[in-house]
Amino acid sequence: MACNSSTCNSSGCYKGYEEEEQPKPNTKAAVNGGNSCQNLCVKCKVNEPVCCGIGGENSRFCKDCFKNNLYGKFKQAVTYNAMITPPDKVLVAFSGGPSSRVVLQFVHEMQYKAQKNYDANKDKSLPVFGVGVAFIDESSTHSFTSLHIEKAIEDIRLIVSNLAPPSKELFVVPIESIFSSDGIDGKERLKELLDAVSDVTGKEDLLIRLRILLLQKIASENGYTRIVLGTCTSRIACHVISATVKGQGYSLSADIQYVDSRWEIPVVLPLRDCPAQELNTLCSLDGSLKIVELLNGPCSGINGLVSSFVKVLQEENPSRECTIVRTAGKLTPFHFNRVPEIHDSNVPSATRRHQKRYTLKPNGSLSSDSFCPICSSPLKKSNFPSSLRSHGNQQNPDLIASACSSCQFQILPKDPSLMEEFLSVLPQQMITKAKHGDQGDFSLLREQIQEFLLSDGENEI
């Protein structure tokens, strides 16, 4: 986990972000000879090692240094990509697993330090960002007993309540509530939708999209400006291979970046550089990081095969997942793979300077005017039929024409006579996206003409 390059952004050492947390080395222990040093943490030279990095054969790090190294990766991702700024309200998606538990803990520690700095600062120019937690109850799609899910929710409430001060609001929302705006029985509608998808992989991918839509709904209704996911290196490595197999190569780079602003509420991945093995190790070492076990069952279809394949690769070479992600990271990102700049005059100038300092300006980024209404993947213009505009005013848009090839093959019904029934059980958000899919995302256009727009404080002439 050591690094010799100042620009390294892999799973190695994040020295600059953890030095302030490190205890001073014990000089007496350091000079007692090579044998004693071998029994000490290679980082602090004080404590006994209890764990190692993903590439190490022997235990090399003590618990505190191991946690500080992981926190350094998290903090660098957050800072370098301007994921969280002082005026933000952050919604952390919590599933109960090690990845979401670690990201929730790190966001809390970051908020706690910001609160301490705010209390000690007389200027009070930078406010402290707010944090909320969202748990999506998917018991209606799995064979959970009511007692099991009630116990899990009670444990989650206890975990969130212990992360204070500052206090955090918890949202426990069933996944079928994505249909609540339609005024119907959500469970029955969800069952009909999933039964209409015959492909096992398509059904799993559709559930993932419904989960994202519901998180967007929770964040939008409660004033949150960021959604934080606990997606780690291992999950991204599996997605790189599975997306390639599914024919989603064009849109792959949009899904594996630190920031995804194609949604109304930007989604950020601060654990992108943290492998699952290290997150699991941290949870086992730190007794305060309690996880909630929900037996969702293993993935099947393409997702299950890819997960098993990557697991075998990881056993042969512990750094294989990081290599996959670094290689895929060379793909050109899209224009929405960064946090939108703040142009609101009501936001303090110190906040705008802070964001401008850390916001990336990717050169040569890809642009996309159209998105798949099912999975929201960006569509290549050359593959997007010009006749689609004729469907925009129809009550039921032609999803076959506007959907990506992967969704056409795995999710949409093959029989055209079943399309009407399938459309009737889709969430309204997807129907709306299909109707207005040709309008695209105007964030890039606004950025290009920003210098010609009047600010809020200027008078129109």
Side-chain angles (χ1 to χ4, degrees):
M1 301 177 79
C3 178
N4 295 323
S5 173
S6 60
T7 59
C8 176
N9 196 28
S10 64
S11 62
C13 176
Y14 285 74
K15 180 179 177 183
Y17 289 87
E18 51 184 285
E19 285 181 343
E20 59 182 5
E21 309 250 352
Q22 294 293 339
K24 293 183 179 180
N26 189 332
T27 55
K28 293 182 179 180
V31 297
N32 281 337
N35 293 333
S36 61
C37 287
Q38 292 179 357
N39 298 324
L40 295 176
C41 169
V42 298
K43 188 69 176 179
C44 66
K45 303 294 192 298
V46 175
N47 302 318
E48 293 184 1
V50 294
C51 59
C52 61
I54 60 172
E57 293 80 9
N58 302 314
S59 296
R60 303 188 302 161
F61 296 94
C62 67
K63 183 182 73 172
D64 292 338
C65 291
F66 186 77
K67 180 178 180 181
N68 288 337
N69 188 79
L70 272 178
Y71 183 80
K73 298 178 185 180
F74 163 85
K75 188 65 180 296
Q76 175 165 345
V78 170
T79 305
Y80 191 61
N81 297 278
M83 293 183 182
I84 302 176
T85 56
D88 284 330
K89 285 188 65 179
V90 176
L91 183 67
V92 180
F94 184 67
S95 65
S99 297
S100 62
R101 181 63 186 92
V102 171
V103 77
L104 176 60
Q105 181 67 30
F106 285 171
V107 170
H108 162 69
E109 292 180 7
M110 186 177 174
Q111 184 194 31
Y112 179 72
K113 293 176 182 177
Q115 184 66 55
K116 288 179 62 177
N117 293 336
Y118 179 81
D119 294 338
N121 190 357
K122 296 181 180 180
D123 185 14
K124 311 292 185 183
S125 59
L126 293 178
V128 180
F129 65 92
V131 177
V133 183
F135 171 72
I136 307 300
D137 178 7
E138 300 183 25
S139 57
S140 58
T141 63
H142 300 284
S143 57
F144 292 141
T145 63
S146 58
L147 183 62
H148 185 193
I149 193 65
E150 288 175 3
K151 176 64 168 57
I153 293 176
E154 184 64 28
D155 291 341
I156 291 173
R157 293 188 187 278
L158 181 61
I159 290 173
V160 175
S161 64
N162 289 336
L163 295 177
S167 61
K168 298 164 181 61
E169 188 174 5
L170 173 64
F171 303 90
V172 178
V173 184
I175 192 169
E176 60 267 20
S177 64
I178 190 66
F179 302 101
S180 60
S181 60
D182 300 331
I184 60 170
D185 183 5
K187 286 187 178 181
E188 185 63 27
R189 178 97 169 249
L190 178 62
K191 184 179 183 302
E192 292 178 3
L193 177 60
L194 295 179
D195 290 344
V197 181
S198 58
D199 186 83
V200 176
T201 305
K203 192 173 297 186
E204 293 175 354
D205 293 347
L206 181 58
L207 271 174
I208 293 175
R209 299 306 168 188
L210 293 177
R211 196 180 303 140
I212 288 291
L213 287 177
L214 186 53
L215 288 172
Q216 288 287 322
K217 180 181 178 182
I218 297 171
S220 179
E221 292 178 350
N222 295 276
Y224 288 91
T225 59
R226 297 284 188 277
I227 295 178
V228 177
L229 301 184
T231 306
C232 62
T233 303
S234 307
R235 178 75 66 86
I236 296 176
C238 291
H239 179 72
V240 168
I241 298 179
S242 63
T244 304
V245 172
K246 297 171 189 176
Q248 299 173 338
Y250 176 76
S251 62
L252 173 59
S253 63
D255 302 328
I256 62 175
Q257 307 299 327
Y258 292 96
V259 178
D260 186 352
S261 298
R262 86 185 87 169
W263 311 92
E264 177 188 357
I265 310 298
V267 177
V268 297
L269 310 179
L271 294 186
R272 183 181 180 273
D273 298 322
C274 302
Q277 179 182 336
E278 295 186 357
L279 300 174
N280 294 334
T281 300
L282 179 60
C283 289
S284 63
L285 291 175
D286 193 336
S288 64
L289 296 179
K290 181 180 178 181
I291 62 175
V292 180
E293 294 290 349
L294 288 174
L295 302 178
N296 296 334
C299 295
S300 53
I302 294 177
N303 298 328
L305 289 174
V306 169
S307 179
S308 301
F309 174 67
V310 173
K311 184 177 180 180
V312 173
L313 293 179
Q314 185 72 5
E315 291 174 354
E316 296 175 353
N317 186 345
S319 62
R320 191 62 58 84
E321 292 175 343
C322 298
T323 302
I324 294 173
V325 175
R326 282 199 303 269
T327 302
K330 298 181 184 298
L331 295 172
T332 304
F334 284 82
H335 67 275
F336 51 76
N337 286 132
R338 52 174 170 161
V339 175
E341 294 188 20
I342 299 175
H343 300 291
D344 188 354
S345 60
N346 295 323
V347 176
S349 58
T351 299
R352 294 201 298 271
R353 289 196 304 269
H354 181 274
Q355 195 217 31
K356 186 176 181 180
R357 177 183 178 186
Y358 291 107
T359 299
L360 289 177
K361 306 283 187 183
N363 295 323
S365 60
L366 299 175
S367 62
S368 178
D369 296 328
S370 305
F371 299 87
C372 173
I374 304 296
C375 67
S376 297
S377 297
L379 301 176
K380 199 171 183 179
K381 294 179 181 180
S382 60
N383 296 335
F384 197 69
S386 58
S387 61
L388 183 59
R389 293 180 180 272
S390 62
H391 300 284
N393 296 325
Q394 293 184 10
Q395 184 176 359
N396 291 327
D398 188 356
L399 286 181
I400 296 180
S402 60
C404 66
S405 59
S406 178
C407 290
Q408 291 180 27
F409 182 77
Q410 295 180 329
I411 296 179
L412 297 182
K414 305 297 186 297
D415 189 351
S417 62
L418 300 177
M419 182 60 67
E420 192 72 21
E421 180 182 353
F422 181 79
L423 288 172
S424 65
V425 294
L426 276 179
Q428 188 60 40
Q429 294 94 320
M430 290 185 178
I431 298 295
T432 303
K433 193 174 187 65
K435 287 182 179 180
H436 305 286
D438 59 332
Q439 294 182 3
D441 186 352
F442 293 102
S443 59
L444 180 63
L445 176 61
R446 177 182 176 86
E447 197 169 297
Q448 293 173 342
I449 64 173
Q450 181 62 41
E451 59 179 308
F452 304 105
L453 298 178
L454 292 175
S455 65
D456 296 338
E458 293 178 343
N459 296 324
E460 297 185 8
I461 300 177

